[in-house]
Amino acid sequence: MAMEKDVIFEMAERYVKATGRSVFLTGKAGTGKTTFLKYITQTTAKRFVVLAPTGVAAINAGGSTIHSFFQLPLCPYLPDVKELITEYQMPERYRSLRKERVKIIRTLDLLIIDEISMVRADLLDAVDMTLRKYRHNDKPFGAVQLLMIGDAQQLSPVVKDSERQYMSQVYQSPYFFHSKALSRLQYVTIELQKVHRQKDAEFLDILNAVREDRMTAQLLRKINERVGVPPVRQEDGTEPIRLTTHNVRADEVNSRKLAELPDDPSLFTAQIEGDFPEHSYPADEVLELKPGAQVMFIRNDSEGKYYNGKLAKVEKIAKGVVTVSDSNGEMIDVTPVEWPNTQYELDDESGEICQNVVGTFRQLPLRIAWAITIHKSQGLTFDNVIIDAGAAFAFGQVYVALSRCRSLEGITLESPITSSGIYRDMHVAAFNEGFMPLETVSYRVELEERGYAFDQYRSVFDFNGACSSLRYMLKLWRGVLSETYPELYAGMEAASKALHDAAKVADTFRQQLKNIESSQAQDDIYLKERLTKATGYFLPMIRTVRDAAMDIIGLEIDNKETKKKVNDVLEELLIEVDIIFNSLENFERGEFGIDTVCRVRTECHLQDRNLARRRKLRKVTRAADEPGIVNEELRDRLQQWRSDRFKADNVPAYTIMHQSTLIQIATLIPSTRQELLAIKGFGEASFRKYGEQILEICSEYKKCH
């Protein structure tokens, strides 16, 4: 991707790509924040999703809304406040995500949030809660790296009056930087400084003064010299776009101007298919146009004919094609384009995070544009503007409006800008004053890269999660496995003890890695030697634990609730053990790359969907390997018979025959009534109901073997 990158841009890139440190990327209007976002999404090897606080912002960023991705309610999230009304607590239905979405969350390396200034503190805390829950990690945001992009001194989050009193009981302010989770997160702030939109030094001084609320009387007089200046019209008659504070003002101007044109209007209705929420519509559902109407393109053209924010005039309308002329007199035929509404999903074959189109919005990429709101102008650039900011009501509106124009000479003010309209939000000011000096951030990037690498190595030798899962597995199995499969249970107990002992040694080795990192010695040979020795020590132990876990895949349990719990914990255990096992195998082969470690972790998290396939493979080999069970085929026949019986009789399977009894029959293969009655758990009543059927199954099995 060919593009100009300065030192700060490259430093931000290193933090995002080569470290695990979260980043708040900020900068004045026109410094390239959107460019950085696009660049990272096109070049990073990390698994990521792009989210935004609003539907339109999400469409523009090429991602999803925060609410839809995490399935969060639109009401405020007020954590740990029991005395507040239930309306503002997280409803239970929002606490469970689809399994597919959970897989994405668990394999996520990087979460990109665009327009972070508009994200409320409570929403960021809801994201934190969700990530920690499904990643089983209590670190802030479940240890996912955050890339937050935006400018706190531009548009602020929206809080309804009805919500404000409740939010104030929990948060110092609604801004994202006052979220409980972010206060626990160690992140770096990187401010892009090179302004690409404006070149005039005097105008930049004015913009910076407005942004930082240090407007002097002299600068204020200078900007107010633009009051009443006749707006510059293009040769084709196109007027400068008017930026207003409220939708109603913009609509009034556009409606009046359109009505003044002589021709009858042409209506263009959007074609909407699938799932596309109304609040995310990127264009008017019904667009009214006339020849002579001033319009603005609202997206970029792949062939470069137009771009988002380009002004034009409608010349003619014929057969569904709208022809417009731009400021250079170029004629452009405009036809409908399609906006996709996408959801993040996992590709079944590659396991990669991909975007699946769930709905489409098809419409002309045009908007009536004699006037638009300041909010809708965010991210756009104009040569000439008329600014109606006399009713500015939100922090940052005046700055956003002024910074849309390339030059001071291109601005016409409808009314003077007053010092009261340029107010300083004390929360934002305090937040900005707390930024770490850029020199410090730059100095630390190499340390962060090294720290990230060692964190990945240390994670391989963290056996504590697997220990916990295995202990819980044994607790669930104690009443089932110990009776039905005593030898397997003994093997699991031995594996649990071995893993517990190995975890203690591994904790010591992780401290050794910490010491190597702290030494600042850049001796990769010594590090690899230590990793190789540790691998030789731990790999046989982990293989034993892994085999023990594999042995219980597919074992039958009569109690459905217990069976579900066991399978859930087994999936978790296999993921944790496989991460360790597969990483150590790579180390054994001399593959020590951090990218390899991260890839293994992702693959292991995705393989839980293959548990059924593992079960089938294990079933083939268990007849020879499983302690106490010789006749695998007979066991399967008996289980099928039992399944058919409980469906026909409409009774629980265990009332027909307990699994432990079934295993004994499959092992001993009784041929007479006395032999069958001698089996524990099979009495006279059972024989009267099922004895002859079971003996027949056993007899048929013997004939074939």
Side-chain angles (χ1 to χ4, degrees):
M1 181 177 179
M3 62 173 296
E4 182 183 356
K5 296 194 289 183
D6 60 20
V7 174
I8 299 177
F9 190 107
E10 291 179 343
M11 179 179 62
E13 180 187 356
R14 288 177 66 183
Y15 265 103
V16 174
K17 291 182 176 180
T19 83
R21 184 68 65 197
S22 292
V23 175
F24 170 44
L25 185 86
T26 188
K28 304 178 181 70
T31 52
K33 297 185 292 294
T34 300
T35 300
F36 185 85
L37 166 62
K38 293 179 179 178
Y39 177 76
I40 287 296
T41 59
Q42 293 175 13
T43 60
T44 184
K46 291 184 176 180
R47 295 169 67 85
F48 70 90
V49 296
V50 179
L51 305 179
T54 67
V56 174
I59 296 291
N60 291 336
S64 301
T65 66
I66 298 171
H67 286 91
S68 66
F69 182 80
F70 290 108
Q71 291 297 289
L72 298 171
L74 295 177
C75 67
Y77 169 64
L78 302 178
D80 305 321
V81 184
K82 310 244 185 247
E83 66 271 17
L84 296 181
I85 57 178
T86 56
E87 178 186 356
Y88 297 114
Q89 299 297 315
M90 183 70 74
E92 193 61 36
R93 70 180 185 275
Y94 291 106
R95 298 177 189 252
S96 297
L97 295 177
R98 293 184 295 110
K99 198 169 184 177
E100 189 76 8
R101 185 59 49 83
V102 173
K103 291 176 183 177
I104 294 175
I105 287 173
R106 299 206 58 188
T107 60
L108 202 59
D109 299 313
L110 175 66
L111 173 61
I112 303 174
I113 303 179
D114 195 24
E115 301 289 2
I116 188 68
S117 71
M118 299 175 66
V119 176
R120 294 186 351 183
D122 62 310
L123 181 56
L124 205 56
D125 280 342
V127 170
D128 165 69
M129 178 274 297
T130 308
L131 288 172
R132 286 188 290 107
K133 173 184 176 180
Y134 289 105
R135 290 174 66 87
H136 304 295
N137 191 320
D138 206 42
K139 292 181 179 178
F141 301 95
V144 174
Q145 182 186 26
L146 262 59
L147 171 58
M148 301 169 286
I149 301 176
D151 182 6
Q153 292 178 265
Q154 294 192 42
L155 300 180
S156 54
V158 177
V159 182
K160 298 176 182 176
D161 290 339
S162 59
E163 302 167 343
R164 196 174 299 278
Q165 62 173 319
Y166 298 107
M167 291 220 28
S168 64
Q169 296 182 48
V170 182
Y171 297 103
Q172 188 177 349
S173 83
Y175 289 104
F176 75 96
F177 49 77
H178 279 151
S179 83
K180 306 295 183 183
L182 205 62
S183 67
R184 297 186 292 111
L185 181 70
Q186 293 183 343
Y187 64 95
V188 298
T189 297
I190 299 176
E191 184 174 7
L192 299 176
Q193 296 180 345
K194 185 177 180 180
V195 178
H196 302 277
R197 184 176 294 153
Q198 293 89 15
K199 306 297 183 184
D200 181 65
E202 185 178 39
F203 187 33
L204 286 173
D205 284 344
I206 292 173
L207 291 177
N208 292 337
V210 173
R211 183 174 186 266
E212 300 162 11
D213 190 23
R214 52 176 180 83
M215 179 67 76
T216 64
Q218 181 182 356
L219 291 176
L220 195 60
R221 281 195 302 271
K222 186 66 179 178
I223 187 64
N224 283 327
E225 289 175 1
R226 306 306 303 173
V227 176
V229 175
V232 178
R233 287 178 174 265
Q234 303 297 330
E235 292 183 2
D236 64 352
T238 302
E239 300 178 18
I241 195 164
R242 184 181 302 267
L243 305 183
T244 70
T245 54
H246 294 75
N247 275 308
V248 66
R249 288 175 176 257
D251 292 342
E252 286 175 355
V253 172
N254 289 328
S255 296
R256 175 171 52 81
K257 290 280 191 178
L258 193 65
E260 291 172 355
L261 297 175
D263 296 302
D264 293 330
S266 297
L267 301 181
F268 297 85
T269 303
Q271 297 177 358
I272 304 165
E273 295 183 2
D275 182 9
F276 212 113
E278 186 174 351
H279 63 79
S280 297
Y281 287 176
D284 293 333
E285 184 177 4
V286 179
L287 177 63
E288 187 177 348
L289 294 178
K290 292 182 181 181
Q294 181 164 302
V295 294
M296 181 179 71
F297 286 96
I298 52 176
R299 65 177 284 168
N300 297 325
D301 176 50
S302 59
E303 298 179 0
K305 295 178 182 178
Y306 53 81
Y307 55 85
N308 187 22
K310 181 182 181 74
L311 294 176
K313 185 174 74 173
V314 177
E315 296 294 340
K316 66 176 181 178
I317 302 172
K319 298 181 180 180
V321 177
V322 178
T323 302
V324 303
S325 60
D326 65 12
S327 59
N328 297 318
E330 294 287 332
M331 296 293 177
I332 305 171
D333 290 335
V334 187
T335 55
V337 298
E338 194 169 270
W339 286 265
N341 180 31
T342 61
Q343 288 184 356
Y344 285 103
E345 296 182 355
L346 286 174
D347 184 88
D348 289 333
E349 295 184 3
S350 67
E352 293 297 315
I353 298 174
C354 58
Q355 288 181 291
N356 181 46
V357 178
V358 297
T360 58
F361 182 99
R362 186 173 180 82
Q363 178 62 290
L364 293 170
L366 298 172
R367 172 184 291 136
I368 295 293
W370 283 284
I372 62 172
T373 63
I374 295 171
H375 272 79
K376 286 188 173 73
S377 75
Q378 183 125 357
L380 303 180
T381 303
F382 304 105
D383 291 320
N384 301 279
V385 295
I386 301 170
I387 297 177
D388 175 16
F393 64 93
F395 169 72
Q397 277 193 323
V398 172
Y399 173 70
V400 172
L402 292 173
S403 62
R404 297 311 93 193
C405 198
R406 297 184 189 275
S407 66
L408 182 61
E409 289 72 25
I411 293 175
T412 295
L413 296 179
E414 284 218 331
S415 59
I417 292 176
T418 64
S419 55
S420 62
I422 308 170
Y423 63 92
R424 190 180 199 194
D425 189 293
M426 301 308 296
H427 296 296
V428 174
F431 171 64
N432 288 337
E433 289 170 1
F435 291 173
M436 185 184 297
L438 194 60
E439 294 78 9
T440 305
V441 176
S442 178
Y443 165 76
R444 290 183 58 85
V445 67
E446 289 189 10
L447 297 176
E448 293 283 355
E449 289 174 336
R450 179 174 171 84
Y452 179 68
F454 274 88
D455 282 345
Q456 302 311 307
Y457 289 133
R458 283 193 292 271
S459 69
V460 173
F461 296 94
D462 186 355
F463 303 168
N464 295 302
C467 279
S468 297
S469 295
L470 190 49
R471 283 196 298 269
Y472 186 47
M473 174 72 72
L474 283 170
K475 181 181 177 181
L476 292 172
W477 273 111
R478 192 164 289 124
V480 179
L481 192 64
S482 59
E483 294 181 4
T484 310
Y485 307 98
E487 294 186 35
L488 281 178
Y489 184 75
M492 291 292 290
E493 279 194 316
S496 180
K497 185 180 183 308
L499 186 61
H500 179 73
D501 294 340
K504 291 181 179 178
V505 182
D507 287 345
T508 301
F509 179 67
R510 286 194 295 132
Q511 184 57 51
Q512 291 180 20
L513 291 176
K514 191 82 173 175
N515 295 337
I516 296 173
E517 179 189 357
S518 302
S519 71
Q520 300 298 310
Q522 304 296 321
D523 189 352
D524 288 342
I525 296 176
Y526 177 68
L527 172 62
K528 291 175 181 178
E529 286 178 352
R530 298 300 304 148
L531 290 172
T532 301
K533 287 184 178 181
T535 297
Y537 179 82
F538 289 114
L539 188 56
M541 300 180 190
I542 298 301
R543 183 179 286 110
T544 300
V545 174
R546 183 174 181 268
D547 289 345
M550 293 282 286
D551 280 338
I552 62 176
I553 294 178
L555 297 184
E556 291 296 324
I557 305 173
D558 292 332
N559 188 299
K560 290 183 178 180
E561 185 177 348
T562 301
K563 184 176 181 178
K564 184 181 184 307
K565 288 182 179 178
V566 167
N567 284 338
D568 289 345
V569 179
L570 180 58
E571 286 187 2
E572 187 67 31
L573 177 63
L574 286 171
I575 290 170
E576 292 166 333
V577 171
D578 277 350
I579 289 173
I580 301 169
F581 180 78
N582 293 351
S583 297
L584 293 179
E585 280 199 325
N586 283 326
F587 293 170
E588 190 178 45
R589 292 191 295 267
E591 299 174 8
F592 300 100
I594 297 304
D595 289 345
T596 303
V597 174
C598 294
R599 176 179 52 76
V600 166
R601 185 178 297 108
T602 296
E603 290 174 348
C604 291
H605 276 298
L606 293 176
Q607 76 180 1
D608 65 338
R609 60 184 172 174
N610 297 328
L611 192 59
R613 191 155 60 244
R614 283 188 170 195
R615 185 177 293 119
K616 291 179 182 178
L617 293 172
R618 201 64 178 168
K619 193 174 180 179
V620 174
T621 60
R622 180 170 292 131
D625 299 336
E626 187 174 81
I629 299 179
V630 180
N631 308 303
E632 180 86 3
E633 184 182 338
L634 178 57
R635 188 194 69 171
D636 290 347
R637 290 186 188 182
L638 289 168
Q639 286 183 167
Q640 184 60 52
W641 167 82
R642 188 178 73 157
S643 177
D644 294 340
R645 286 300 324 165
F646 85 72
K647 289 178 183 177
D649 299 346
N650 196 27
V651 296
Y654 66 84
T655 63
I656 298 174
M657 188 191 306
H658 279 281
Q659 183 69 16
S660 58
T661 304
L662 189 150
I663 296 298
Q664 292 181 69
I665 295 172
T667 303
L668 300 174
I669 320 180
S671 57
T672 66
R673 176 176 180 275
Q674 290 75 19
E675 290 176 353
L676 186 55
L677 289 172
I679 291 174
K680 183 180 178 182
F682 203 93
E684 288 285 354
S686 297
F687 188 86
R688 286 195 296 271
K689 289 182 179 179
Y690 312 118
E692 295 298 332
Q693 299 175 46
I694 292 172
L695 290 175
E696 184 179 351
I697 293 171
C698 290
S699 175
E700 290 178 356
Y701 175 79
K702 282 184 175 180
K703 289 177 183 178
C704 298
H705 297 80

